[in-house]
């Protein structure tokens, strides 16, 4: 009976399996019939799919614009989505869905990496389990150290020993991080707190660069902290395994540990670059005092923080030292505040933002503050692309009265997996070391080290960038010195008293208005700060750029379409002579149509430094055919070793009277124009292609960038016409020709 039952069960199972295969075969046949149907059957199948929406494929340009916007703001509101969609010819829903999909993709990548990390942890636990089993199989006697008899050691004691070994290893790792980040070993927090030690070797007057006493960051820097500071709780207790940089948005302590390790190694490299002279830095033989980084010695002393140099990139390394009219704490707070930083360097920094504050510092100070930032680094010319860089910025109090602020790119870092995210530049460890001096001054050593794609830079500006005058340490330090001198002068009442009859608040309001004018001019030249659109016109030359933007209900700006026109030319005269000519009120009529054929009279002069050329002026036309009661010219001029700048705009008389009485200047509408002048930095054997008939050697020439902004149409919804483009081109050509004629450069 049992055999018959088993045979019946087997037959029933075979029968069910056969029916299952037949059902599968029938379902496949039905699908094949639908695909192979013809006539009405095929049309019916198509009609079922007509309800589906067609997939919209974005253009590469749209994707590039969306990705760039996503880096700055991954969750735009409805107004921002509409503005972005209008600029890219996309509907608001399309922009919304693209950002949703992109955020989902980013989250999926983070989850995928987290799964990979958990898998790795699981494998480590399996290995630990195997080691524990081996230890249990070969117990050791605690008294004699020899093999223990089975039963003498308990399983609980084995667990405790394994856990004790793991905790010791973790303690050593945390102590290493504490020694670097806090400035002393972790064990020192349990004992008596010693007072801060002064480092007499840090006197900047000693040696060539004055930082000969600085040791490596890996050693201890006494900072006099005790355990009540609570910094131990902020240290991440995680392994430094590569992860996505976007994970910082989830406040992942694991990601913080990765960024902290990268920032500390960058600080160590910055100190080496500031401390070591020969053979790391080689002085030029031309007697100009310039230094060049010895790449072979650099590779030996400084292991790469963010991987090897990409193919086709060139390196730019400079350093400079000088005295600044500000104390170290004021400089540190300025550098760590994104708004103050951009206001201090308006010609070099476009948009900037703090993406995330990883460590906020200790006791309301900036010590050990670490933040993730994004910035646009710009040179005032349409021939030099803007550098978009995402980087870490670490502030560290490394000795008594000595601070260090260091930057390092996270784009393309070997510690993060999105190495393709950087575009044309990456920032190697760069920054400054600041030491307090008597009378509120500071000694600053500035180091700049970048790698960039030289092929995207116009050939005329390549010598400028390679010399370090474009983005190098000399430019940063010269700008810092001039701006700090301006703040010191304006804060002194006696230094700005004159007989103009304008109050102190009125002059401060004028300077604030001029600062906004200069910042808007730089944004128009470099296409930063606003949502600019490039004008594609056949009659615009390769060395000129026309961009437009809609200005609607923005304070301090006229409503309508604002057009910014810029061009850069080579001039066969030194940049200081060209600067003096363009700022001379008596010679203004030779190139400026706003002067109406006559000289200008300076009504108000607000000095911004010991050099009279660094000032804010209010000018008035003196020609007989002008209406002097209708228009004035607000002008700011500034010059230093890195170059010169002249920015001006026409302002209403009533508005300027309100400003000079100390009123709010934010409502005054501005459309700035101006010039940026830098040395050409051509080598002795080279000359520009602009004036082949003129033989100029050395740095006898200059690069002149002309830029101006005009309101081409009042209604914001109106479009730019070709007549407006032709008018602007004629205006640029006519002004350049007038300048060359006046200086006999034709």
């Amino acid at each position: 009976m049992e055999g018959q039952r088993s045979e019946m069960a087997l037959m029933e199972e075979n029968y069910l399996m056969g029916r299952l295969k037949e059902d599968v075969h029938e379902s496949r046949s039905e699908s094949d019939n639908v695909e192979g149907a013809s006539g009405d059957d095929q049309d019916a199948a198509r009609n079922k799919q007509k309800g589906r929406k067609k997939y919209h494929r974005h253009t590469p340009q749209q994707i590039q614009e969306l990705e760039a916007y996503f880096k700055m703001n991954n969750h735009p509101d409805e107004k921002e989505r509409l503005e972005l969609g209008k600029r890219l010819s996309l509907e608001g829903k399309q922009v919304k869905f693209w950002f949703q999909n992109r955020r989902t993709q980013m989250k999926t990548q983070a989850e995928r990496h987290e799964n990979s990390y958990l898998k790795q942890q699981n494998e480590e636990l399996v290995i630990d389990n195997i080691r524990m089993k081996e230890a249990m199989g070969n117990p050791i006697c605690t008294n004699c150290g020899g093999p223990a008899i089975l039963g003498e050691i308990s399983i609980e004691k084995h667990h405790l020993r394994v856990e004790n070994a793991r905790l010791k290893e973790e303690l050593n790792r945390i102590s290493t991080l504490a020694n670097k980040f806090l400035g002393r070993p972790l064990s020192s927090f349990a004992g008596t707190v010693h007072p801060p030690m002064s480092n007499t070797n840090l006197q900047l007057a000693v040696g060539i660069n004055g930082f000969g006493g600085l040791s490596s960051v890996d050693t201890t820097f006494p900072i006099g902290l005790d355990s009540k500071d609570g910094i131990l709780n902020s240290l991440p207790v995680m392994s430094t395994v590569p992860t996505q940089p976007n994970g910082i948005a989830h406040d992942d302590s694991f990601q913080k540990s990765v960024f902290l390790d990268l920032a500390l190694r960058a600080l160590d490299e910055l100190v080496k670059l500031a401390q070591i002279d020969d053979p790391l830095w080689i002085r030029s033989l031309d007697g100009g005092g310039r230094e060049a980084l010895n790449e072979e010695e650099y590779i030996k002393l400084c292991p790469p923080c963010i991987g090897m140099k990409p193919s086709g990139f060139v390196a730019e390394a400079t350093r400079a030292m000088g005295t600044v009219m500000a104390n170290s704490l004021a400089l540190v707070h300025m550098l760590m505040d994104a708004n103050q930083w951009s206001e201090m360097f308006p010609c070099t920094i476009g948009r900037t933002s703090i993406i995330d504050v990883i460590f906020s510092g200790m006791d309301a100070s900036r010590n050990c503050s670490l933040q993730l930032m994004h910035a646009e680094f710009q040179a005032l010319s349409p021939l030099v692309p803007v550098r978009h860089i995402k980087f870490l910025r670490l502030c560290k109090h490394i000795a008594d009265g000595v601070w260090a602020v260091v930057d390092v790119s996270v784009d393309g870092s070997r510690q993060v997996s999105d190495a393709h995210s950087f575009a044309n530049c990456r920032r190697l460890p760069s920054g400054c070391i600041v030491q307090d001096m008597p009378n509120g001054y500071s000694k600053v050593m500035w180091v700049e080290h970048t790698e960039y794609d030289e092929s995207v830079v116009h050939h005329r500006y390549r010598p400028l960038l390679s010399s370090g005058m474009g983005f190098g340490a000399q430019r940063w330090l010269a700008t810092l010195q001039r701006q700090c001198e301006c703040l010191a002068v304006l804060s002194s009442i006696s230094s700005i008293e004159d007989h103009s009859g304008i109050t102190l608040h009125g002059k401060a309001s004028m300077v604030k208005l001029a600062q906004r004018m200069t910042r808007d001019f730089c944004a128009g030249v470099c296409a930063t700060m606003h949502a600019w659109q490039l004008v594609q016109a056949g009659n615009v030359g390769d060395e000129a750029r026309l961009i437009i933007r809609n200005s609607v209900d923005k304070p301090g700006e006229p409503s309508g379409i604002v057009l910014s026109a810029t061009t850069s030319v080579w001039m066969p005269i030194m940049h200081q002579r060209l600067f003096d000519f363009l700022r001379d009120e008596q010679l203004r009529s030779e190139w400026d149509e706003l002067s109406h054929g006559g000289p200008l009279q300076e009504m108000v002069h607000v000095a911004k430094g010991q050099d009279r050329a660094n000032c804010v002026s209010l000018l008035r036309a003196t020609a007989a055919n002008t209406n002097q009661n209708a228009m004035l010219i607000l002008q700011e001029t500034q010059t230093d070793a890195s170059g010169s700048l002249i920015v001006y705009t026409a302002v209403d008389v009533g508005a300027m009277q309100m400003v000079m009485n100390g009123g709010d200047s934010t409502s005054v509408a501005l459309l700035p124009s101006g010039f940026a002048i830098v040395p050409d930095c051509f080598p002795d054997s080279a000359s520009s292609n602009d004036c082949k008939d003129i033989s100029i050697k050395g740095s006898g020439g200059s690069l002149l960038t002309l830029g101006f902004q005009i309101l081409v149409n009042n209604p914001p919804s109106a479009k730019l016409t070709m007549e407006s483009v032709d008018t602007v081109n004629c205006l640029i050509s006519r002004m350049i020709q007038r300048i060359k004629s006046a200086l006999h450069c034709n």
Side-chain angles (χ1 to χ4, degrees), residues 376-409:
E376 296 173 333
F377 295 84
Q378 62 191 16
L380 296 182
S381 173
L383 306 182
V384 181
V386 176
R387 299 177 175 181
H388 300 266
I389 303 179
K390 181 162 59 174
F391 58 95
L392 293 170
R393 174 164 290 182
L394 172 67
C395 177
K396 186 74 167 62
H397 186 201
I398 59 178
D400 186 20
V402 181
W403 291 78
V405 179
V406 62
D407 297 346
V408 61
S409 285

Side-chain angles (χ1 to χ4, degrees), residues 442-455:
S442 298
K443 206 90 171 189
V444 177
M445 168 65 80
W446 201 291
V447 177
E448 282 294 315
H449 194 188
T450 58
E451 293 173 345
Y452 63 96
D453 184 5
E454 191 180 39
S455 63

